[in-house]
Amino acid sequence: MRDFDENNITQSVIERFANTPDPRLKTILNSLVTHLHDFIRDVDLTFDEWQTAIKFLTRTGQQCTDTRQEFILLSDTLGVSMLVDAVNHRQRNGATQTTVLGPFFVHEAPALPLGANIAVNAEGEPLYANGVIRSTNGKPLANATVDVWQCNKDGFYDVQLSPQLNLRASFKTDQQGRFYFWSILPTSYPIPYDGPVGDLLTATNRHPYRPAHLHFMISAPEHETLVTHVFVKGDQYLDSDAVFGVKNSLIEEFKQHAPGTAPDGKQMPHSWRSFTYDFSLKAEHENLDHHP
Ligand code: BEZ
Ligand code: FE
């Protein structure tokens, strides 16, 4: 085949992939080529624009390090991460809704006992967080792993500031499936915007902010691991999250309390906050309820 033109080249490229042994790879490439070619015809992409895109993607790659993943940030800000999340979590059947993992999860979070304060030498309004982890059948999940991480009062995660881990922990639920810990109120914060993704946000008059939230990753045997957030009700960025991660069901009131006694008996000399959020994990096998 020769004489490719704007009408026949798409089919020709697809045919060139005809011998791809992996059928899923073939499906993905066929669709990718179809949409990419349609996009170029749709906008009549100029050589200058094509070159700008190549330079942008090159800079995106160059921005990546062991601790900075600019391609995921690009995916986040284009709504791709949340779309992948959505198509992979279509049937929640009562399970807690999911949202983006984000770049600040670490595997080595300190294992702390229930009731611990995860904010070490961190200023901020004290926050008491608690809730119950259940299976979607309502059964509390004892000994579930609850990983939590959040930013400080200035909007920075520990890993952005120093090698010292802070404002994160890994808990195990008690026999009633409960978790509870102390921390500080997180704030809204900008995603890293000093690279090409930040330039794209600037060029499009978009702000880089995420509404205040705590991250949770919750796992239990025979259940799907849940990656989600709890967002602070009333935050000014709930309707314009830079990464499209907000869901109504994940917004919770962080109640304001006057000085006094906290639920665990702790005497609070200053005002403090609390929220309660119960999570539901999806059983891996639908018939899990019927297992002995
Ligand atoms: C975060 O919530 O930590 C986050 C998510 C996506 C991009 C940047 C940060
Ligand atoms: Fe975050």
Side-chain angles (χ1 to χ4, degrees), residues 101 103-112 116-129 146-171 181-187 189 213-217 228 254 275:
L101 174 68
F104 303 123
F105 171 73
V106 304
H107 289 277
E108 311 82 22
L112 294 181
N117 184 2
I118 68 169
V120 180
N121 297 328
E123 286 174 24
E125 200 171 356
L127 171 69
Y128 184 72
V146 180
D147 264 76
V148 57
W149 65 106
Q150 65 164 90
C151 67
N152 67 14
K153 74 167 184 35
D154 300 318
F156 292 103
Y157 285 79
D158 52 0
V159 291
Q160 295 177 288
L161 299 171
S162 81
Q164 197 71 46
L165 296 182
N166 200 358
L167 290 162
R168 68 177 72 236
S170 186
F171 295 104
F181 61 91
W182 284 95
S183 187
I184 53 166
L185 187 69
T187 184
Y189 64 87
H213 57 270
L214 281 89
H215 292 256
F216 284 88
M217 184 187 283
T228 196
F254 283 46
F275 77 88

Side-chain angles (χ1 to χ4, degrees), residues 239-261:
D239 288 314
S240 63
D241 182 5
V243 303
F244 307 94
V246 179
K247 289 174 178 169
N248 266 327
S249 65
L250 302 177
I251 302 171
E252 192 53 69
E253 192 175 348
F254 283 46
K255 292 197 187 91
Q256 195 111 42
H257 303 277
T261 308

